[in-house]
Amino acid sequence: MNKPTKRSLKMRFQTKINHGDHTDSYEFTTRGELFHKGNQDYLRFQETLSETESVQTTMKWDGRELMLIRQGSVLMRQGFIVGEETLGRYVTPDASWETTAITDKLLVQWPSGKSRGRIQLTYKFALQGQDTGTHQVRLTLEEDTINE
């Protein structure tokens, strides 16, 4: 059985949410790891929400669907497939909501050699049937050669 090869990455995560005439932006940089298991690629990183709350985020890519899995003070599972509506779930300590995403754009390019990788995702998102706007997510991925 092949052991998955892990690659350390530096990454920049940017989110822009357009809802009517209002736009929210969120950005952070972190380190993560990229590995291949079976016929899927996994990107895993830690997201800090506050001084006491963090979330382990995993993005699983099979060539067609990008699955977002968040575990920690927030639990979330949401798939993204271009042109399709996908169901998911968002859970906090206080409540659990059904989510839906309609994906307009999905691009996944892993870093290779000296070239950077990127993930671009644009989708319309609803929480318990309520429209939360159009979300644009950009991840810039770069091999982290410091740890090797």
Side-chain angles (χ1 to χ4, degrees), residues 22-80:
H22 184 73
T23 300
D24 286 319
S25 296
Y26 175 64
E27 181 178 325
F28 65 91
T29 55
T30 189
R31 285 183 155 66
E33 58 185 19
L34 174 65
F35 59 96
H36 186 81
K37 188 174 172 185
N39 59 357
Q40 298 179 334
D41 293 306
Y42 294 81
L43 175 64
R44 186 173 291 149
F45 57 93
Q46 193 79 14
E47 187 179 345
T48 302
L49 303 179
S50 70
E51 286 184 18
T52 58
E53 296 180 311
S54 67
V55 174
Q56 177 76 35
T57 301
T58 302
M59 293 180 152
K60 182 169 70 168
W61 172 244
D62 66 6
R64 179 174 177 266
E65 179 179 32
L66 182 69
M67 179 62 70
L68 174 67
I69 303 162
R70 298 170 79 200
Q71 297 173 292
S73 52
V74 169
L75 299 175
M76 183 178 180
R77 187 175 183 91
Q78 181 69 55
F80 300 95

Side-chain angles (χ1 to χ4, degrees), residues 79-119:
F80 300 95
I81 302 171
V82 172
E84 293 188 23
E85 181 178 73
T86 50
L87 297 177
R89 182 142 302 277
Y90 186 87
V91 181
T92 68
D94 302 319
S96 174
W97 297 281
E98 181 180 275
T99 60
T100 56
I102 300 172
T103 306
D104 297 322
K105 178 180 180 179
L106 175 57
L107 171 72
V108 177
Q109 294 177 323
W110 300 124
S112 165
K114 293 200 181 301
S115 69
R116 290 182 170 183
R118 61 188 170 150
I119 297 175

Side-chain angles (χ1 to χ4, degrees), residues 2-35:
N2 289 349
K3 182 176 183 279
T5 304
K6 289 186 181 179
R7 293 160 54 198
S8 294
L9 300 178
K10 291 185 283 190
M11 49 191 292
R12 183 173 171 203
F13 187 103
Q14 300 167 283
T15 299
K16 190 185 290 184
I17 302 168
N18 297 309
H19 193 257
D21 59 357
H22 184 73
T23 300
D24 286 319
S25 296
Y26 175 64
E27 181 178 325
F28 65 91
T29 55
T30 189
R31 285 183 155 66
E33 58 185 19
L34 174 65
F35 59 96

